[in-house]
Amino acid sequence: MERRLFLLIVSVVYSFAAIAQTAQKPIVMVVPEKAWCIQKGYTKDGKTVDYEKALLNNDVLNAVTRMGAIMAERGYPLKLLSATLDAINNEGALDIALRSKGDGEMIEDDLDQLLRVANADIMVNIAFNRQNVGPRSQIEFRVTGVDAATLKQITGNIGRSSASGASFSTLVDEAVSGFMDSFSYQLLQSFQNTVKNGREGTFVFKIASDCPLNFESEVNVNGESGELAEFIEYWISEHAVSQSFTQGGKSRVRLSFEQVHFPLFGKSGFGGRQRAINAEGFIRSISKDLANLGISVSTTPIGIGKVYVVLGRR
């Protein structure tokens, strides 16, 4: 019995190691948790997280930096929060459609913008409480893995350091040491599932004022006739992984698809090489087919998991 248990443990350990060595790893970005930031007052208006303000606190900066280093040590490609914030500040004026409601729908909040610019696969949210025990310090550290496209939680753990006079980074290491292997394993498992089954995206099609057709217009494609909405639904079905998607609302001027599982990789326009694609890259390829109907395609990404697709005159 003990031998079988020992062999089982060894098998699990080797499985962890094999996945860690061979699996393609997701790009991660470490950020302070939203609820924690609001609780600590790192906000712009009491509701919107001010990440730049949070990073001015040495403990927050040290925690983000150390957690990023821990992920990098495990082989994860890393997008730095500070560098992403700098990139956003250097972007210049954003398309006004992203910052206003645009017919009551198009709006990109600060987190959407952060994720779009970083283009990370997974957000590693962190939160911590530091307390003094006499001359020593102790921290409780919470880590949550979140899919950047859907904002669905993948995994999460809480650890506590001992009370000591060690540096803050050392306390972080100790607090997370007990669960980092399983945390990393669950991130990899989730990402490999995404590679296999596609990433979820939402696509909202709208008709511009100059578009020669609406979604109820009759079209003829390759000898088959039907409404424009039916053709777009057919295209989504043909290109989604395992034809997995959910039809949303439909009217003459608006059409939406949710939980569309699109592939993470596709062929580039030149040379036919495989490359990583996001939701916008996936849906833009429909423009080649719609061009034959005299329709142009304009896309506006919201974060990395949602895209508005406006159809106009070609």
Side-chain angles (χ1 to χ4, degrees):
M1 181 68 178
E2 291 182 357
R3 177 176 173 78
R4 282 192 303 182
L5 179 60
F6 172 75
L7 290 175
L8 177 61
I9 294 173
V10 170
S11 175
V12 171
V13 170
Y14 273 102
S15 295
F16 273 45
I19 290 178
Q21 290 174 3
T22 63
Q24 178 182 1
K25 292 195 170 127
I27 299 172
V28 302
M29 181 169 64
V30 180
V31 301
E33 181 185 271
K34 178 180 178 180
W36 183 85
C37 284
I38 293 174
Q39 180 187 7
K40 298 296 183 181
Y42 301 125
T43 65
K44 297 176 182 178
D45 53 13
K47 296 180 181 180
T48 304
V49 175
D50 189 336
Y51 292 108
E52 290 180 307
K53 182 178 180 180
L55 291 181
L56 293 177
N57 179 285
N58 282 334
D59 280 352
V60 177
L61 179 60
N62 288 339
V64 169
T65 301
R66 185 56 202 147
M67 192 64 201
I70 290 171
M71 299 304 297
E73 287 165 3
R74 283 167 167 74
Y76 288 89
L78 187 67
K79 288 294 181 73
L80 296 177
L81 175 59
S82 57
T84 303
L85 292 172
D86 288 342
I88 290 173
N89 290 332
N90 293 331
E91 261 193 343
L94 289 172
D95 185 340
I96 191 65
L98 291 179
R99 308 306 296 174
S100 67
K101 289 192 174 181
D103 294 332
E105 292 181 298
M106 289 190 195
I107 184 168
E108 182 179 58
D109 62 24
D110 288 354
L111 180 58
D112 287 331
Q113 187 184 14
L114 183 71
L115 295 174
R116 174 175 59 82
V117 174
N119 201 28
D121 298 302
I122 291 174
M123 238 191 341
V124 176
N125 290 321
I126 63 170
F128 61 90
N129 286 312
R130 181 176 185 172
Q131 60 183 7
N132 294 323
V133 183
R136 299 172 296 177
S137 293
Q138 182 181 46
I139 63 169
E140 182 179 83
F141 206 84
R142 181 168 67 245
V143 183
T144 309
V146 176
D147 182 274
T150 64
L151 299 183
K152 293 179 180 178
Q153 180 173 327
I154 299 168
T155 182
N157 297 92
I158 298 175
R160 185 190 297 271
S161 74
S162 61
S164 76
S167 68
F168 184 79
S169 295
T170 300
L171 294 178
V172 171
D173 286 348
E174 183 182 347
V176 304
S177 62
F179 62 73
M180 273 310 299
D181 285 340
S182 62
F183 181 82
S184 176
Y185 176 77
Q186 289 170 318
L187 291 187
L188 283 175
Q189 287 286 80
S190 175
F191 184 67
Q192 288 306 304
N193 181 65
T194 301
V195 171
K196 178 182 178 181
N197 298 314
R199 169 172 285 150
E200 285 187 30
T202 296
F203 303 94
V204 180
F205 289 79
K206 303 192 77 176
I207 297 292
S209 59
D210 66 342
C211 186
L213 303 172
N214 63 57
F215 293 122
E216 295 179 353
S217 298
E218 194 81 5
V219 298
N220 187 292
V221 180
N222 298 326
E224 295 187 56
S225 297
E227 291 185 355
L228 176 60
E230 293 175 325
F231 169 70
I232 294 174
E233 181 177 349
Y234 167 77
W235 189 97
I236 293 285
S237 176
E238 287 295 296
H239 291 79
V241 177
S242 301
Q243 299 183 326
S244 181
F245 68 95
T246 300
Q247 168 77 64
K250 174 193 171 186
S251 69
R252 295 178 70 251
V253 295
R254 186 182 186 278
L255 182 66
S256 67
F257 300 90
E258 301 169 354
Q259 296 178 312
V260 179
H261 288 243
F262 65 91
L264 269 66
F265 303 94
K267 292 184 179 180
S268 63
F270 297 95
R273 296 179 180 177
Q274 286 289 111
R275 62 181 176 86
I277 60 172
N278 53 23
E280 185 182 24
F282 165 76
I283 203 62
R284 279 200 66 84
S285 59
I286 198 175
S287 61
K288 298 177 182 178
D289 298 280
L290 293 179
N292 295 326
L293 302 176
I295 297 175
S296 65
V297 174
S298 174
T299 56
T300 301
I302 305 295
I304 67 170
K306 185 173 186 177
V307 182
Y308 279 86
V309 186
V310 179
L311 307 185
R313 181 180 299 278
R314 181 171 169 77

